[in-house]
Amino acid sequence: MIPMSEEYVLKLLRQNKRMDGRNLLDYREIKIETGVIPKAEGSALVQLGNTKVLVGIKMEIATPFPDMPDEGILIVNAEFAPIANPEFEPGPPGEEATETARLVDRLIRESKMIDTSKLVIQEGEKVWGVFVDIHILNDEGNLLDASAIGAVAALYNTKIPKYENDEVIRGEYAGNLPVRYKPVMITMAKIGDKYILDPNYLEEEVASTKLSVGIRDDDVICAVQKRGSGTIKFSELEGLIDLAIQKSKEIRSLL
Amino acid sequence: MKKPEGFKLVDGKGKRIDGRGLDETRPIRMEVGLLSRADGSAKVGFGNTVAVAAVFGPRALFPRHLQEVEECIIRTRYNMAPFSTESRKSPGTDRRSIEISKVLRHAIEATVFLEEFPRATIDVYMEIISSDGSTRCTALNAASLALALAGVPMRDLIASCTGGKIDGKLAIDLNGKEDNYGEADVAFAMLPTKREIVLLQMDGELTKEEFMTLLTKMADKCNKIRDMQVKTIKEYYKKIGGELE
């Protein structure tokens, strides 16, 4: 790709144009492939334009949290592998990876998309743990929305292994993971006084701030986060929430 | 966290477990200039939640490769003392504190005139010494006061509070139990005179109408919190001035 400067992004936006020819409120093309990792109980490869994110689900036997003895547990982790971006470095998850994992966690947990009450093997002792691992393969921007799409698609693809005589039998399944909603994360980036959806890598560099909103099938808001160092005018907020709700329907139809 | 059966966060008369009405904050206390080694410091309490903030800088930033040529950088640390919580919190950073430190840094970056101090750093350290819900907002209110005391030029003071939905009702300034057992919680901060949002996080379940109603209430409360901040700073300087005369 031809390197383009930040000034170019700004110049185009003043004419309501974007470097890849999109309208301000368009997402890039979204491709979702599920069941791509044989050893994972569920998986999805998501492409948001050239952003590539792989999400794998592992089902493991776990001990429930003491305050929730009758529910399975959910753990979300994100790995910003150094293959994805020349600026990513090997090592423990940094700030961005931590924030991404926690936001996807909130989207899944707070929307109650997984019926965790059906993941109990022995109350207070043994439950299924759902481990969602987000692996970024190529960072061309908007990793959060791509990770959220990947996580939801992978959870819909997840099967629960057979569990007999205190042993997990991998490769044989007792049924599907009990899922009931398709929550969607919508990220709006503020550049100058304009908001765009699904920012690419260069647009993210220029954006002063981003607002990510997680929306459930019934239009209930289940996660919100302002990301980045700019401000959002209070008067802009309602319009942004409306936009996220409207756009979430379009993304959900692909899941 | 699951609410114990029969446990009520709001009683039949609309009173909360600590006796407050839905739109009331807990008693707020503010104190500034309490740490002599810091360039600016403040302690803020919302009920049983207490945060202490210290600001160091603007000061030189080393190693040099971390410097920004055109502006200063902000470094933040949000930390909970091990004894601040019901069961001991193991010391050190965890995923939660990494995320909170990040969003609080962004709130401060949005407020400070960074371009005034190229190549420098302003370090803002926030310690939660007692925790009962709304810790990040309490910490940010303290940071705002500490920055002002350190003489850091800002676009406005940052005023912050939480809100949420408890037993189906919208409420301001959640305590620990309301945060744990409620249906939704929102952390919010703004520059009141500009009506610009610098911190916004929400999790739980809210309709758009509930979200907007709650945020409007929270913005009103932030105006009042800013008034308290201004009063606290003025009284501090009056006292200092009196001592000098």
Side-chain angles (χ1 to χ4, degrees), chain A residues 223-252:
Chain A
V224 179
Q225 183 115 324
K226 175 190 159 284
R227 301 153 67 208
S229 56
T231 66
I232 293 168
K233 291 200 179 81
F234 196 89
S235 56
E236 293 169 338
L237 194 60
E238 188 165 11
L240 294 171
I241 300 286
D242 281 334
L243 174 60
I245 290 174
Q246 176 205 326
K247 207 67 187 180
S248 69
K249 297 176 198 299
E250 186 184 317
I251 307 298
R252 189 173 299 110

Side-chain angles (χ1 to χ4, degrees), chain B residues 96-162:
Chain B
R96 177 177 174 276
S97 67
I98 290 172
E99 186 197 342
I100 294 175
S101 297
K102 180 176 190 288
V103 294
L104 296 182
R105 187 183 76 230
H106 290 322
I108 294 167
E109 285 167 346
T111 308
V112 169
F113 287 103
L114 302 172
E115 64 278 13
E116 296 280 324
F117 310 103
R119 297 183 186 279
T121 179
I122 299 172
D123 297 329
V124 185
Y125 301 131
M126 293 157 276
E127 295 286 329
I128 306 301
I129 55 172
S130 173
S131 144
D132 187 21
S134 307
T135 57
R136 71 195 70 181
C137 293
T138 307
L140 192 53
N141 283 320
S144 163
L145 284 169
L147 282 161
L149 259 268
V152 173
M154 293 150 81
R155 300 174 58 226
D156 192 359
L157 288 163
I158 306 170
S160 182
C161 72
T162 63

Side-chain angles (χ1 to χ4, degrees), chain B:
Chain B
M1 238 176 268
K2 196 170 271 181
K3 193 161 74 172
E5 218 142 298
F7 185 80
K8 279 207 163 41
L9 292 168
V10 183
D11 71 12
K13 292 172 186 154
K15 288 273 178 243
R16 296 155 72 174
I17 47 176
D18 46 16
R20 280 184 288 162
L22 292 165
D23 292 345
E24 275 176 65
T25 63
R26 292 168 286 182
I28 301 174
R29 301 172 309 282
M30 295 180 180
E31 183 189 343
V32 291
L34 65 154
L35 306 176
S36 66
R37 295 299 305 275
D39 294 312
S41 60
K43 179 166 138 184
V44 173
F46 275 61
N48 288 329
T49 292
V50 181
V52 178
V55 168
F56 295 88
R59 61 181 175 182
L61 173 61
F62 295 103
R64 285 179 68 131
H65 69 87
L66 295 175
Q67 296 179 353
E68 292 285 337
V69 181
E70 290 182 351
E71 56 184 39
C72 78
I73 69 160
I74 304 287
R75 294 188 293 193
T76 51
R77 178 181 189 254
Y78 160 97
N79 185 55
M80 286 178 103
F83 47 76
S84 65
T85 48
E86 223 145 289
S87 49
R88 180 173 184 265
K89 189 212 161 280
S90 64
T93 50
D94 50 26
R95 288 180 8 143
R96 177 177 174 276
S97 67
I98 290 172
E99 186 197 342
I100 294 175
S101 297
K102 180 176 190 288
V103 294
L104 296 182
R105 187 183 76 230
H106 290 322
I108 294 167
E109 285 167 346
T111 308
V112 169
F113 287 103
L114 302 172
E115 64 278 13
E116 296 280 324
F117 310 103
R119 297 183 186 279
T121 179
I122 299 172
D123 297 329
V124 185
Y125 301 131
M126 293 157 276
E127 295 286 329
I128 306 301
I129 55 172
S130 173
S131 144
D132 187 21
S134 307
T135 57
R136 71 195 70 181
C137 293
T138 307
L140 192 53
N141 283 320
S144 163
L145 284 169
L147 282 161
L149 259 268
V152 173
M154 293 150 81
R155 300 174 58 226
D156 192 359
L157 288 163
I158 306 170
S160 182
C161 72
T162 63
K165 189 174 168 185
I166 52 173
D167 285 357
K169 302 207 162 58
L170 301 178
I172 298 295
D173 181 34
L174 303 190
N175 63 34
K177 284 216 165 56
E178 292 169 340
D179 186 11
N180 285 340
Y181 302 141
E183 296 97 278
D185 65 272
V186 182
F188 173 80
M190 69 172 195
L191 308 180
T193 60
K194 303 195 174 302
R195 285 188 81 74
E196 287 181 30
I197 300 165
V198 294
L199 170 75
L200 180 58
Q201 294 183 289
M202 174 267 179
D203 61 74
E205 293 167 78
L206 290 176
T207 64
K208 187 200 118 184
E209 289 68 29
E210 289 170 333
F211 184 72
M212 290 311 301
T213 306
L214 182 60
L215 261 88
T216 306
K217 285 174 192 256
M218 290 165 78
D220 285 347
K221 208 50 90 177
C222 283
N223 289 331
K224 299 209 168 67
I225 290 166
R226 185 187 184 279
D227 292 343
M228 289 184 69
Q229 290 176 328
V230 170
K231 191 166 160 256
T232 305
I233 295 169
K234 278 188 181 163
E235 277 171 8
Y236 173 77
Y237 282 118
K238 255 186 219 159
K239 188 168 150 260
I240 299 276
E243 281 165 12
L244 286 176
E245 279 168 24

